[in-house]
Short mmCIF file of all heavy atoms in Angstrom, two decimals:
data_model
loop_
_atom_site.label_atom_id
_atom_site.label_comp_id
_atom_site.label_asym_id
_atom_site.label_seq_id
_atom_site.Cartn_x
_atom_site.Cartn_y
_atom_site.Cartn_z
N ILE A 1 -149.61 195.98 -71.12
CA ILE A 1 -148.51 196.90 -71.45
C ILE A 1 -147.80 197.32 -70.17
O ILE A 1 -146.57 197.33 -70.11
CB ILE A 1 -149.03 198.12 -72.23
CG1 ILE A 1 -149.60 197.68 -73.59
CG2 ILE A 1 -147.93 199.15 -72.42
CD1 ILE A 1 -150.42 198.75 -74.30
N GLY A 2 -148.56 197.67 -69.15
CA GLY A 2 -147.97 198.07 -67.87
C GLY A 2 -147.10 196.97 -67.26
O GLY A 2 -145.99 197.24 -66.79
N LYS A 3 -147.60 195.73 -67.28
CA LYS A 3 -146.81 194.62 -66.73
C LYS A 3 -145.54 194.39 -67.55
O LYS A 3 -144.48 194.11 -66.99
CB LYS A 3 -147.65 193.34 -66.67
CG LYS A 3 -148.67 193.37 -65.54
CD LYS A 3 -149.34 192.03 -65.33
CE LYS A 3 -150.30 191.72 -66.44
NZ LYS A 3 -151.12 190.53 -66.21
N ALA A 4 -145.66 194.50 -68.86
CA ALA A 4 -144.48 194.31 -69.72
C ALA A 4 -143.43 195.39 -69.44
O ALA A 4 -142.23 195.09 -69.36
CB ALA A 4 -144.89 194.32 -71.19
N LEU A 5 -143.88 196.63 -69.29
CA LEU A 5 -142.94 197.71 -69.00
C LEU A 5 -142.31 197.53 -67.62
O LEU A 5 -141.11 197.77 -67.45
CB LEU A 5 -143.65 199.07 -69.08
CG LEU A 5 -144.06 199.51 -70.49
CD1 LEU A 5 -144.96 200.73 -70.43
CD2 LEU A 5 -142.83 199.77 -71.35
N ARG A 6 -143.09 197.10 -66.64
CA ARG A 6 -142.55 196.89 -65.29
C ARG A 6 -141.61 195.69 -65.24
O ARG A 6 -140.70 195.65 -64.42
CB ARG A 6 -143.68 196.69 -64.28
CG ARG A 6 -144.43 197.97 -63.98
CD ARG A 6 -144.12 198.50 -62.60
NE ARG A 6 -144.64 199.83 -62.37
CZ ARG A 6 -145.87 200.09 -61.92
NH1 ARG A 6 -146.70 199.11 -61.66
NH2 ARG A 6 -146.24 201.34 -61.74
N SER A 7 -141.82 194.70 -66.10
CA SER A 7 -140.88 193.57 -66.12
C SER A 7 -139.53 194.02 -66.67
O SER A 7 -138.49 193.53 -66.26
CB SER A 7 -141.44 192.39 -66.92
OG SER A 7 -141.51 192.71 -68.29
N LEU A 8 -139.57 194.99 -67.57
CA LEU A 8 -138.34 195.56 -68.13
C LEU A 8 -137.69 196.52 -67.14
O LEU A 8 -136.49 196.47 -66.91
CB LEU A 8 -138.67 196.29 -69.43
CG LEU A 8 -137.55 197.10 -70.07
CD1 LEU A 8 -136.53 196.16 -70.67
CD2 LEU A 8 -138.11 198.03 -71.12
N LYS A 9 -138.49 197.39 -66.57
CA LYS A 9 -137.99 198.43 -65.67
C LYS A 9 -138.95 198.53 -64.48
O LYS A 9 -139.96 199.25 -64.56
CB LYS A 9 -137.89 199.75 -66.42
CG LYS A 9 -137.19 200.82 -65.64
CD LYS A 9 -136.92 202.04 -66.50
CE LYS A 9 -136.16 203.04 -65.65
NZ LYS A 9 -135.76 204.20 -66.37
N PRO A 10 -138.68 197.84 -63.37
CA PRO A 10 -139.62 197.78 -62.25
C PRO A 10 -139.98 199.13 -61.64
O PRO A 10 -141.06 199.28 -61.08
CB PRO A 10 -138.89 196.92 -61.22
CG PRO A 10 -137.89 196.14 -62.00
CD PRO A 10 -137.51 196.99 -63.17
N ASP A 11 -139.13 200.14 -61.77
CA ASP A 11 -139.42 201.43 -61.14
C ASP A 11 -140.05 202.44 -62.10
O ASP A 11 -140.20 203.61 -61.74
CB ASP A 11 -138.15 202.02 -60.54
CG ASP A 11 -137.06 202.27 -61.58
OD1 ASP A 11 -137.10 201.64 -62.65
OD2 ASP A 11 -136.17 203.08 -61.31
N ILE A 12 -140.47 202.01 -63.29
CA ILE A 12 -141.08 202.94 -64.23
C ILE A 12 -142.41 203.43 -63.65
O ILE A 12 -143.18 202.67 -63.08
CB ILE A 12 -141.28 202.30 -65.63
CG1 ILE A 12 -141.61 203.37 -66.66
CG2 ILE A 12 -142.33 201.20 -65.60
CD1 ILE A 12 -141.52 202.88 -68.10
N ARG A 13 -142.64 204.73 -63.76
CA ARG A 13 -143.91 205.32 -63.31
C ARG A 13 -144.94 205.18 -64.42
O ARG A 13 -144.64 205.42 -65.59
CB ARG A 13 -143.72 206.80 -62.97
CG ARG A 13 -142.91 207.02 -61.72
CD ARG A 13 -142.62 208.49 -61.45
NE ARG A 13 -143.83 209.30 -61.41
CZ ARG A 13 -143.85 210.61 -61.62
NH1 ARG A 13 -142.75 211.26 -61.90
NH2 ARG A 13 -144.98 211.28 -61.56
N LEU A 14 -146.14 204.79 -64.05
CA LEU A 14 -147.22 204.63 -65.01
C LEU A 14 -148.30 205.68 -64.75
O LEU A 14 -148.72 205.87 -63.61
CB LEU A 14 -147.84 203.23 -64.92
CG LEU A 14 -146.89 202.07 -65.18
CD1 LEU A 14 -147.61 200.74 -65.00
CD2 LEU A 14 -146.26 202.15 -66.56
N VAL A 15 -148.71 206.34 -65.82
CA VAL A 15 -149.79 207.32 -65.76
C VAL A 15 -150.84 206.88 -66.76
O VAL A 15 -150.54 206.66 -67.92
CB VAL A 15 -149.27 208.74 -66.10
CG1 VAL A 15 -150.41 209.73 -66.12
CG2 VAL A 15 -148.19 209.17 -65.13
N VAL A 16 -152.07 206.73 -66.29
CA VAL A 16 -153.17 206.25 -67.13
C VAL A 16 -154.08 207.42 -67.47
O VAL A 16 -154.56 208.12 -66.58
CB VAL A 16 -153.97 205.14 -66.40
CG1 VAL A 16 -155.15 204.69 -67.24
CG2 VAL A 16 -153.06 203.96 -66.06
N PHE A 17 -154.30 207.63 -68.76
CA PHE A 17 -155.26 208.62 -69.23
C PHE A 17 -156.58 207.91 -69.48
O PHE A 17 -156.62 206.89 -70.17
CB PHE A 17 -154.80 209.26 -70.55
CG PHE A 17 -153.81 210.36 -70.37
CD1 PHE A 17 -152.45 210.11 -70.46
CD2 PHE A 17 -154.23 211.65 -70.11
CE1 PHE A 17 -151.53 211.14 -70.30
CE2 PHE A 17 -153.32 212.68 -69.95
CZ PHE A 17 -151.97 212.42 -70.04
N SER A 18 -157.66 208.43 -68.90
CA SER A 18 -158.96 207.79 -69.04
C SER A 18 -160.04 208.82 -69.33
O SER A 18 -160.07 209.89 -68.73
CB SER A 18 -159.31 207.03 -67.76
OG SER A 18 -160.61 206.50 -67.84
N SER A 19 -160.95 208.46 -70.23
CA SER A 19 -162.12 209.31 -70.52
C SER A 19 -163.23 209.07 -69.51
O SER A 19 -164.14 209.86 -69.39
CB SER A 19 -162.66 208.99 -71.92
OG SER A 19 -161.66 209.17 -72.87
N GLU A 20 -163.17 207.96 -68.80
CA GLU A 20 -164.19 207.59 -67.82
C GLU A 20 -164.00 208.40 -66.55
O GLU A 20 -162.90 208.80 -66.22
CB GLU A 20 -164.10 206.10 -67.50
CG GLU A 20 -164.26 205.20 -68.69
CD GLU A 20 -165.63 205.29 -69.31
OE1 GLU A 20 -166.63 205.34 -68.57
OE2 GLU A 20 -165.71 205.30 -70.55
N ASN A 21 -165.07 208.57 -65.79
CA ASN A 21 -165.00 209.29 -64.53
C ASN A 21 -164.68 208.40 -63.35
O ASN A 21 -164.46 208.88 -62.26
CB ASN A 21 -166.33 210.02 -64.26
CG ASN A 21 -166.53 211.18 -65.21
OD1 ASN A 21 -165.57 211.72 -65.74
ND2 ASN A 21 -167.77 211.57 -65.42
N SER A 22 -164.68 207.09 -63.56
CA SER A 22 -164.43 206.18 -62.45
C SER A 22 -163.02 205.59 -62.54
O SER A 22 -162.38 205.64 -63.59
CB SER A 22 -165.46 205.05 -62.46
OG SER A 22 -165.35 204.30 -63.66
N ASP A 23 -162.57 205.04 -61.42
CA ASP A 23 -161.27 204.39 -61.36
C ASP A 23 -161.29 203.13 -62.22
O ASP A 23 -162.12 202.25 -61.99
CB ASP A 23 -160.96 203.99 -59.91
CG ASP A 23 -159.82 204.75 -59.32
OD1 ASP A 23 -159.24 205.59 -60.02
OD2 ASP A 23 -159.51 204.49 -58.15
N PRO A 24 -160.40 203.00 -63.18
CA PRO A 24 -160.37 201.78 -63.98
C PRO A 24 -159.84 200.60 -63.15
O PRO A 24 -159.04 200.81 -62.24
CB PRO A 24 -159.42 202.12 -65.13
CG PRO A 24 -158.62 203.26 -64.65
CD PRO A 24 -159.42 203.98 -63.63
N PRO A 25 -160.28 199.40 -63.44
CA PRO A 25 -159.83 198.22 -62.68
C PRO A 25 -158.43 197.77 -63.11
O PRO A 25 -158.28 196.82 -63.85
CB PRO A 25 -160.90 197.17 -63.02
CG PRO A 25 -161.36 197.55 -64.39
CD PRO A 25 -161.26 199.05 -64.47
N LEU A 26 -157.42 198.45 -62.64
CA LEU A 26 -156.04 198.18 -63.04
C LEU A 26 -155.17 197.85 -61.83
O LEU A 26 -154.03 198.28 -61.74
CB LEU A 26 -155.46 199.38 -63.79
CG LEU A 26 -156.21 199.83 -65.03
CD1 LEU A 26 -155.63 201.13 -65.58
CD2 LEU A 26 -156.21 198.75 -66.10
N ASP A 27 -155.71 197.07 -60.90
CA ASP A 27 -154.98 196.76 -59.67
C ASP A 27 -153.66 196.04 -59.93
O ASP A 27 -152.70 196.22 -59.19
CB ASP A 27 -155.84 195.90 -58.74
CG ASP A 27 -157.04 196.65 -58.22
OD1 ASP A 27 -156.97 197.90 -58.18
OD2 ASP A 27 -158.04 196.01 -57.88
N GLU A 28 -153.60 195.24 -60.98
CA GLU A 28 -152.41 194.45 -61.23
C GLU A 28 -151.18 195.27 -61.63
O GLU A 28 -150.06 194.75 -61.60
CB GLU A 28 -152.70 193.37 -62.26
CG GLU A 28 -153.23 193.93 -63.57
CD GLU A 28 -154.00 192.90 -64.36
OE1 GLU A 28 -153.37 191.99 -64.92
OE2 GLU A 28 -155.24 193.03 -64.41
N ILE A 29 -151.38 196.54 -61.97
CA ILE A 29 -150.22 197.38 -62.33
C ILE A 29 -150.03 198.54 -61.35
O ILE A 29 -149.34 199.50 -61.66
CB ILE A 29 -150.29 197.90 -63.78
CG1 ILE A 29 -151.55 198.75 -64.01
CG2 ILE A 29 -150.20 196.76 -64.77
CD1 ILE A 29 -151.54 199.52 -65.31
N ARG A 30 -150.62 198.46 -60.18
CA ARG A 30 -150.44 199.51 -59.17
C ARG A 30 -148.99 199.59 -58.78
O ARG A 30 -148.33 198.56 -58.77
CB ARG A 30 -151.30 199.23 -57.94
CG ARG A 30 -152.73 199.62 -58.19
CD ARG A 30 -153.36 200.12 -56.92
NE ARG A 30 -154.72 200.52 -57.16
CZ ARG A 30 -155.08 201.75 -57.49
NH1 ARG A 30 -154.19 202.68 -57.60
NH2 ARG A 30 -156.32 202.05 -57.72
N PRO A 31 -148.46 200.72 -58.43
CA PRO A 31 -149.10 202.02 -58.38
C PRO A 31 -149.12 202.68 -59.74
O PRO A 31 -148.23 202.48 -60.56
CB PRO A 31 -148.22 202.80 -57.41
CG PRO A 31 -146.87 202.22 -57.57
CD PRO A 31 -147.10 200.76 -57.89
N TRP A 32 -150.15 203.46 -59.99
CA TRP A 32 -150.26 204.27 -61.19
C TRP A 32 -151.03 205.53 -60.84
O TRP A 32 -151.69 205.61 -59.82
CB TRP A 32 -150.94 203.52 -62.33
CG TRP A 32 -152.21 202.82 -61.96
CD1 TRP A 32 -152.33 201.52 -61.56
CD2 TRP A 32 -153.54 203.37 -61.92
NE1 TRP A 32 -153.65 201.24 -61.28
CE2 TRP A 32 -154.41 202.35 -61.50
CE3 TRP A 32 -154.07 204.62 -62.21
CZ2 TRP A 32 -155.77 202.54 -61.36
CZ3 TRP A 32 -155.45 204.81 -62.07
CH2 TRP A 32 -156.28 203.77 -61.65
N THR A 33 -150.92 206.51 -61.71
CA THR A 33 -151.60 207.78 -61.52
C THR A 33 -152.66 207.92 -62.60
O THR A 33 -152.40 207.61 -63.76
CB THR A 33 -150.60 208.96 -61.63
OG1 THR A 33 -149.55 208.75 -60.69
CG2 THR A 33 -151.27 210.28 -61.36
N LEU A 34 -153.83 208.39 -62.23
CA LEU A 34 -154.92 208.56 -63.18
C LEU A 34 -155.05 210.03 -63.56
O LEU A 34 -155.06 210.91 -62.70
CB LEU A 34 -156.23 208.08 -62.56
CG LEU A 34 -157.47 208.20 -63.45
CD1 LEU A 34 -157.38 207.26 -64.64
CD2 LEU A 34 -158.72 207.91 -62.64
N ILE A 35 -155.14 210.28 -64.86
CA ILE A 35 -155.40 211.63 -65.37
C ILE A 35 -156.61 211.53 -66.29
O ILE A 35 -156.66 210.67 -67.17
CB ILE A 35 -154.18 212.20 -66.14
CG1 ILE A 35 -152.99 212.35 -65.20
CG2 ILE A 35 -154.54 213.53 -66.79
CD1 ILE A 35 -151.74 212.90 -65.86
N SER A 36 -157.57 212.40 -66.06
CA SER A 36 -158.79 212.39 -66.87
C SER A 36 -158.57 213.06 -68.21
O SER A 36 -157.79 214.00 -68.32
CB SER A 36 -159.91 213.13 -66.13
OG SER A 36 -160.22 212.47 -64.94
N LYS A 37 -159.25 212.53 -69.21
CA LYS A 37 -159.27 213.15 -70.53
C LYS A 37 -160.60 213.86 -70.67
O LYS A 37 -161.61 213.27 -70.32
CB LYS A 37 -159.12 212.09 -71.62
CG LYS A 37 -157.73 211.55 -71.75
CD LYS A 37 -157.57 210.34 -72.63
CE LYS A 37 -158.09 210.41 -74.01
NZ LYS A 37 -157.81 209.21 -74.80
N PRO A 38 -160.65 215.06 -71.15
CA PRO A 38 -159.52 215.86 -71.58
C PRO A 38 -158.70 216.32 -70.38
O PRO A 38 -159.22 216.50 -69.29
CB PRO A 38 -160.16 217.05 -72.28
CG PRO A 38 -161.54 217.14 -71.71
CD PRO A 38 -161.92 215.76 -71.30
N TYR A 39 -157.41 216.48 -70.61
CA TYR A 39 -156.49 216.84 -69.53
C TYR A 39 -156.12 218.31 -69.63
O TYR A 39 -156.34 218.96 -70.65
CB TYR A 39 -155.23 215.98 -69.60
CG TYR A 39 -154.43 216.21 -70.87
CD1 TYR A 39 -153.42 217.15 -70.91
CD2 TYR A 39 -154.72 215.50 -72.03
CE1 TYR A 39 -152.71 217.39 -72.08
CE2 TYR A 39 -154.02 215.73 -73.20
CZ TYR A 39 -153.02 216.67 -73.22
OH TYR A 39 -152.33 216.91 -74.37
N TYR A 40 -155.54 218.82 -68.57
CA TYR A 40 -155.06 220.19 -68.52
C TYR A 40 -153.53 220.09 -68.44
O TYR A 40 -152.99 219.58 -67.46
CB TYR A 40 -155.66 220.88 -67.29
CG TYR A 40 -155.29 222.33 -67.12
CD1 TYR A 40 -155.54 223.27 -68.12
CD2 TYR A 40 -154.70 222.76 -65.94
CE1 TYR A 40 -155.21 224.60 -67.95
CE2 TYR A 40 -154.38 224.10 -65.76
CZ TYR A 40 -154.63 225.01 -66.77
OH TYR A 40 -154.29 226.33 -66.60
N LEU A 41 -152.83 220.54 -69.49
CA LEU A 41 -151.39 220.35 -69.59
C LEU A 41 -150.62 220.84 -68.37
O LEU A 41 -149.71 220.14 -67.90
CB LEU A 41 -150.84 220.98 -70.87
CG LEU A 41 -149.35 220.73 -71.12
CD1 LEU A 41 -149.04 219.25 -71.26
CD2 LEU A 41 -148.89 221.48 -72.36
N PRO A 42 -150.92 222.01 -67.79
CA PRO A 42 -150.17 222.42 -66.59
C PRO A 42 -150.27 221.41 -65.44
O PRO A 42 -149.31 221.21 -64.70
CB PRO A 42 -150.79 223.76 -66.22
CG PRO A 42 -151.26 224.32 -67.52
CD PRO A 42 -151.77 223.11 -68.28
N ASP A 43 -151.43 220.74 -65.30
CA ASP A 43 -151.55 219.71 -64.26
C ASP A 43 -150.64 218.53 -64.56
O ASP A 43 -150.02 217.96 -63.67
CB ASP A 43 -153.00 219.22 -64.15
CG ASP A 43 -153.92 220.26 -63.52
OD1 ASP A 43 -153.40 221.22 -62.90
OD2 ASP A 43 -155.15 220.11 -63.67
N VAL A 44 -150.56 218.14 -65.83
CA VAL A 44 -149.68 217.03 -66.22
C VAL A 44 -148.23 217.41 -65.94
O VAL A 44 -147.46 216.62 -65.38
CB VAL A 44 -149.87 216.67 -67.71
CG1 VAL A 44 -148.85 215.63 -68.16
CG2 VAL A 44 -151.29 216.18 -67.97
N LEU A 45 -147.84 218.61 -66.29
CA LEU A 45 -146.46 219.06 -66.07
C LEU A 45 -146.13 219.16 -64.59
O LEU A 45 -145.02 218.79 -64.16
CB LEU A 45 -146.21 220.39 -66.77
CG LEU A 45 -146.34 220.36 -68.31
CD1 LEU A 45 -146.19 221.75 -68.89
CD2 LEU A 45 -145.35 219.39 -68.92
N ASN A 46 -147.07 219.63 -63.77
CA ASN A 46 -146.86 219.66 -62.32
C ASN A 46 -146.68 218.26 -61.77
O ASN A 46 -145.85 218.03 -60.90
CB ASN A 46 -148.02 220.37 -61.61
CG ASN A 46 -147.95 221.86 -61.78
OD1 ASN A 46 -146.89 222.44 -62.01
ND2 ASN A 46 -149.10 222.50 -61.67
#
């Protein structure tokens, strides 16, 4: 999904929500931002 979105719009920012505590292996769509689930809405808005 990330690659498809970047092929459409190369400058789109990607934010990944993950329940895991470790960095997911998503090197092919770097740069991206990781947000843990459950999330804190004020952190997302900031």
